[in-house]
Amino acid sequence: MFASKSFKSLLLLHSKRLTTPKPYFPFPSTLSLKHFSLTSQQHSLTVSYLINTFGFSPQTALKVSESVSFDTPQKPDSVIAFFTKNGFTDAHINTIVKRVPSILVCNPDKRLSPKFQFLLSKGASASDIVRLVHRCPRILGSSLKNNVIPSFELVRRFLQSDQKTIDCVFGNRPFLQYNVGVQNVNMLLDAGVLDSSIGYLFGRRPSILLSTNLREAIDEVKEMGFDPSKITFAIALHAKRVVSKSRWDAKVDAFKMWGWSEEMVLDSFRKHPLLMLASKDKINEVIRFWVVELGWDPLALAKMPKIFGFSLERRIVPRGLVLKHLIVKGLREKSAKLSTPFDVSEELFLKNYVMRFKEEVCELLKLYQEKISFQEHREGCVESAS
C-alpha cells in the first residue's frame, strides 16, 4: 500500500510534466514514462517481498530495496532455499540480506555453492560455514578465484596446515582482503621477517597483516632495536599494533609510578615484548604484591619482565609467598636469581623449592596449596554462577 501510493503520486507529477508542450521530441518522454512504470513496479514488488518474506519494516525494506530490485520472486526464492538447505536459520538469512541485499538476485549454484564446496574441501564443517557467512556475509560477493582461494593459500603458506588456516579464516573477519594481505606480507619479507614470524602473526592477530600503514609500525619496531630475523620482532609488532598510544603511555606511566625509568621500560620490552600486552591493572597488581606483600625491590622486576604474563593468583602469589618464607628462614639467599622460581614448571617448583626442605615441607605445602586451592575454589564458584 505504501509503495502503491508513492507510485501514484510520482506518476501524477510525471503526467503534469507531460502537459508542457514539447513539439520537437515527444517520444523520449513517452519512453521515459514507460521505463518509470516498469521500474516502479519492480520497486514495489521488491519492497512488498522484503516485508512479507523477512518481516522487515517498511523503512528497512525501502532501504534494502535501494541496493536490489527484481520483477519476480523466482531468484530470491531460490537463494532462500539454498541457505535453508545449508543450515541457515531465518535470523541468519535476514541478517545476510540486510548486509548484502544483492545476494537475492544471484544464481546460488554459480555464486554461492562453489565457495561452500571449496571451504568444505579444506576441512570446514557446515556449521563453520554458517558462522562465517553470518559474521562476514561479504564472502558471498567475493570472487572465489581472485580472493577466497588466494587468501586461503596465502594464510596456509605460513600456518602450514588446512586446519590452522581454517581456524584463522573462521576466527577473523578481515580474512577476505587478499590484495592488502599479500602486499603487507611482501613488505615483511622484504624487511627480513621470517616465515615463522609471519605465521605467528597470522595465528595470533591476522588483522595486523590486513591493516593499513603497516610500514610505519615496521619502521618503529626496527628503531626500537628489534631484529626482523627473530620472533621477538613479530611479537613487538603485535604489541605496537594492538596497543593504542594512549594505552601504551598509560602503561609506561604505571611502571614509572613504581620507580622505573622510560629506558627501563624499553629495555624490558626488548627482552620480552609481550610485556606491553599486559593491562595497566595487571602491571600495578603484580608490582604492588611484589613490593607490599613480599617487601622486594620493584626495580628487580625490570630484569624479569616475563613475570607480567603469568597468573597473579595461580603462580605469582603462591610461589612468591613460598620464596619469602624460604628467605625469612635463611634457606634461600635474597640475592639469588628471582626469576627462575617463577619460570619453571609446577613440578620443578615443588621439587626444588618445597619438597627438598624436609623440615619446612609441611608449612611450605600449606602455604602454597592454600593459595592454589583458594583460587580454584573461586574459579569454580564463578563457573557455577555463570
Side-chain angles (χ1 to χ4, degrees):
M1 183 66 71
F2 178 82
S4 176
K5 287 182 178 179
S6 176
F7 168 67
K8 288 179 179 178
S9 299
L10 289 170
L11 185 58
L12 179 60
L13 288 173
H14 194 83
S15 299
K16 288 180 179 179
R17 287 199 298 273
L18 289 177
T19 60
T20 304
K22 292 186 177 181
Y24 296 107
F25 304 106
F27 294 109
S29 295
T30 303
L31 291 172
S32 177
L33 176 61
K34 183 178 180 181
H35 173 73
F36 173 81
S37 176
L38 290 172
T39 303
S40 297
Q41 290 173 10
Q42 266 189 325
H43 184 262
S44 178
L45 173 65
T46 301
V47 171
S48 298
Y49 185 93
L50 294 171
I51 293 173
N52 295 330
T53 305
F54 302 109
F56 291 170
S57 67
Q59 293 81 4
T60 300
L62 281 169
K63 183 176 181 181
V64 172
S65 69
E66 292 173 0
S67 302
V68 65
S69 65
F70 40 84
D71 51 11
T72 72
Q74 182 178 355
K75 282 188 175 180
D77 281 351
S78 68
V79 171
I80 293 172
F82 175 86
F83 281 129
T84 302
K85 179 183 176 182
N86 283 278
F88 290 78
T89 65
D90 290 346
H92 289 147
I93 300 171
N94 284 13
T95 300
I96 293 167
V97 170
K98 285 179 183 177
R99 294 178 62 184
V100 190
S102 61
I103 205 68
L104 285 174
V105 293
C106 80
N107 182 331
D109 292 332
K110 292 182 178 180
R111 183 171 171 184
L112 306 182
S113 183
K115 295 186 180 73
F116 284 34
Q117 292 304 314
F118 171 75
L119 294 171
L120 288 169
S121 73
K122 296 301 180 180
S125 67
S127 58
D128 285 336
I129 296 174
V130 170
R131 285 195 298 272
L132 172 66
V133 174
H134 181 240
R135 191 180 71 246
C136 186
R138 65 193 185 87
I139 188 177
L140 301 175
S142 184
S143 168
L144 177 64
K145 178 182 178 181
N146 299 323
N147 201 4
V148 177
I149 293 177
S151 293
F152 190 94
E153 294 303 328
L154 176 68
V155 178
R156 195 192 186 289
R157 168 186 167 183
F158 298 100
L159 295 184
Q160 298 184 345
S161 87
D162 284 347
Q163 186 56 55
K164 289 181 180 179
T165 303
I166 284 291
D167 292 341
C168 173
V169 169
F170 285 87
N172 299 276
R173 288 188 180 185
F175 159 66
L176 294 169
Q177 297 179 29
Y178 173 71
N179 290 336
V180 176
V182 75
Q183 180 180 347
N184 284 335
V185 164
N186 287 334
M187 191 186 302
L188 289 168
L189 292 172
D190 290 343
V193 178
L194 301 180
D195 282 17
S196 57
S197 295
I198 297 175
Y200 165 87
L201 293 173
F202 269 124
R204 298 295 182 88
R205 191 57 72 104
S207 58
I208 293 172
L209 296 164
L210 300 168
S211 62
T212 57
N213 302 323
L214 187 61
R215 168 60 68 188
E216 181 180 333
I218 292 173
D219 292 342
E220 184 178 2
V221 172
K222 279 184 177 180
E223 289 172 5
M224 297 176 88
F226 288 92
D227 183 350
S229 67
K230 296 182 178 180
I231 187 63
T232 49
F233 185 91
I235 301 173
L237 188 63
H238 176 189
K240 291 300 296 182
R241 291 301 285 182
V242 303
V243 180
S244 66
K245 186 179 185 304
S246 61
R247 288 169 55 216
W248 186 282
D249 292 343
K251 293 177 185 184
V252 172
D253 288 342
F255 283 116
K256 290 168 71 173
M257 284 180 59
W258 294 99
W260 291 36
S261 66
E262 288 193 25
E263 188 58 35
M264 289 175 71
V265 176
L266 182 57
D267 284 343
S268 296
F269 178 63
R270 290 194 190 103
K271 292 174 185 173
H272 188 66
L274 286 173
L275 169 70
M276 296 305 281
L277 292 178
S279 69
K280 176 186 173 182
D281 289 343
K282 175 70 174 294
I283 291 168
N284 280 319
E285 288 170 1
V286 170
I287 302 180
R288 184 178 293 110
F289 171 75
W290 190 268
V291 174
V292 177
E293 298 296 329
L294 301 181
W296 297 345
D297 183 1
L299 302 186
L301 290 170
K303 299 178 181 179
M304 44 188 295
K306 188 177 179 182
I307 196 172
F308 290 94
F310 297 144
S311 167
L312 185 69
E313 295 85 357
R314 296 187 61 80
R315 181 175 292 214
I316 298 173
V317 170
R319 296 190 185 191
L321 292 176
V322 167
L323 290 174
K324 180 182 179 180
H325 182 88
L326 292 176
I327 291 171
V328 169
K329 291 289 185 177
L331 300 173
R332 178 182 170 83
E333 293 185 6
K334 190 174 181 180
S335 59
K337 189 175 182 181
L338 286 173
S339 61
T340 303
F342 295 96
D343 286 341
V344 299
S345 67
E346 183 173 25
E347 181 182 358
L348 280 178
F349 179 82
L350 290 171
K351 176 183 177 181
N352 295 334
Y353 301 97
V354 176
M355 307 308 294
R356 65 178 294 190
F357 301 102
K358 304 297 183 183
E359 295 182 1
E360 299 290 329
V361 68
C362 290
E363 181 67 22
L364 291 172
L365 274 174
K366 180 180 178 183
L367 191 64
Y368 182 75
Q369 291 178 343
E370 274 184 352
K371 291 297 180 181
I372 295 293
S373 298
F374 172 76
Q375 178 59 18
E376 288 177 346
H377 173 71
R378 188 170 71 171
E379 290 174 353
C381 290
V382 171
E383 289 178 2
S384 298
S386 61

